[in-house]
Amino acid sequence: MHPMLNIAVRAARSAGSVIARGFENVDDLQIQQKGENDFVTKIDKEAEQAIIEKIKQSYPDHTFIGEEGGIVEGDDTFKWIIDPLDGTTNFIKGIPHFAVSIALLYKGRLDQAVVFDPLRGELFTAGRGQGAQLNGHRIRASQAKELGSTVLATAFPFKAKDTLDTYMKSFTEIFSQSGDIRRGGSAALDLAYVAAGRFDGYWERGIKPWDIAAGELLVRESGGLVTDFAGGNDPMLSGEIVAGSPRVVQALVKKLK
């Protein structure tokens, strides 16, 4: 395992311990509202701090971009993009579906990635050019060639409900031609599941870099394709993502353009 990926795994497990303990005491959460349908708890903040502290022990000069803490300036050659608890609403409601997401950008390119589900003990990892793994075993994305019989994943525009009409038009068309669609509430896990072949494809609009950075590398390294709604190759910049088998992504992009 790459040394920096090894450190990221340790950091993810450290945050996972914080999250698992917090999940046992959800009635004691301190919940704040950041925006419409957008929440943060003390566990999000504690988990992010645990990640940064663990990585800083080995790489004190790196830059950190966290969902809760913003940017911690450092050497821009190495940028860690962190979502300490992706799926906070699930966590608050006691729904056991959330994850830690950590990605490393090296000279502007995704280089290492970890998505860790602390309740199921599932550790998804990837290194650029090294493939993707689940608990140390190689995983591969679906090779589905058409939408029929696929199981897809998406997310509803809960932070921008004024876009619901547009979303529902594309959703209806995609749903009518696919096997089924899931909505789990964690972009990091949705992408990890695409990398593992559990989902054949996934799309979402209005996402942030920390939501998808690690998952994007997981999908690419598992043989999947990742684009934005226009077929571009930088979803972290556009805030839109389509991921899955190459043929499924092409079909989804055609309907989302």
Side-chain angles (χ1 to χ4, degrees):
M1 185 179 289
H2 189 285
M4 291 187 184
L5 181 57
N6 190 37
I7 295 300
V9 167
R10 293 182 190 177
R13 291 193 182 279
S14 180
S17 295
V18 172
I19 292 166
R21 288 195 302 270
F23 193 65
E24 294 175 355
N25 299 283
V26 290
D27 292 336
D28 189 38
L29 294 177
Q30 298 171 12
I31 303 169
Q32 296 176 303
Q33 187 164 350
K34 297 188 291 183
E36 185 177 1
N37 297 312
D38 191 7
F39 303 95
V40 62
T41 73
K42 67 175 183 178
I43 299 300
D44 295 73
K45 297 176 181 179
E46 290 174 4
E48 184 170 291
Q49 191 59 39
I51 292 167
I52 293 174
E53 287 178 0
K54 182 66 70 174
I55 296 174
K56 273 194 167 187
Q57 289 175 5
S58 299
Y59 306 110
D61 298 327
H62 288 187
T63 291
F64 296 86
I65 303 172
E67 178 177 11
E68 310 308 337
I71 299 176
V72 178
E73 297 286 357
D75 181 356
D76 278 350
T77 304
F78 300 93
K79 291 182 178 179
W80 295 91
I81 303 179
I82 301 162
D83 190 338
L85 177 50
D86 187 62
T88 297
T89 300
N90 284 348
F91 178 81
I92 291 170
K93 300 298 290 185
I95 300 169
H97 191 77
F98 40 79
V100 180
S101 177
I102 303 172
L104 173 65
L105 283 176
Y106 174 63
K107 294 183 177 180
R109 296 182 64 184
L110 285 167
D111 195 73
Q112 307 294 326
V114 175
V115 172
F116 179 50
D117 181 338
L119 298 189
R120 296 182 181 89
E122 291 193 326
L123 179 73
F124 300 85
T125 57
R128 183 159 57 90
Q130 301 299 312
Q133 297 82 33
L134 167 56
N135 291 342
H137 299 284
R138 184 69 181 265
I139 53 176
R140 296 188 184 279
S142 162
Q143 294 302 305
K145 293 181 170 54
E146 56 186 21
L147 288 180
S149 78
T150 56
V151 175
L152 307 175
T154 187
F156 303 127
F158 64 96
K159 295 181 185 178
K161 292 183 178 179
D162 57 313
T163 65
L164 184 60
D165 288 345
T166 301
Y167 173 84
M168 288 307 299
K169 288 177 182 177
S170 59
F171 178 91
T172 299
E173 186 170 352
I174 292 168
F175 181 66
S176 68
Q177 296 186 29
S178 64
D180 206 348
I181 295 178
R182 302 284 185 267
R183 193 274 195 258
S186 169
L189 282 178
D190 284 341
L191 287 165
Y193 285 13
V194 170
R198 296 173 179 175
F199 293 145
D200 299 293
Y202 160 75
W203 83 96
E204 184 174 355
R205 169 176 278 156
I207 36 81
K208 301 294 185 183
W210 46 77
D211 296 322
I212 62 168
E216 179 182 339
L217 187 62
L218 284 170
V219 174
R220 293 189 189 280
E221 288 298 322
S222 67
L225 181 65
V226 182
T227 75
D228 60 22
F229 282 19
N233 63 1
D234 195 350
M236 284 198 290
L237 181 64
S238 67
E240 304 170 342
I241 189 167
V242 187
S245 74
R247 293 282 186 87
V248 166
V249 168
Q250 290 169 8
L252 290 174
V253 166
K254 186 177 180 180
K255 297 181 183 305
L256 292 166
K257 272 187 176 180

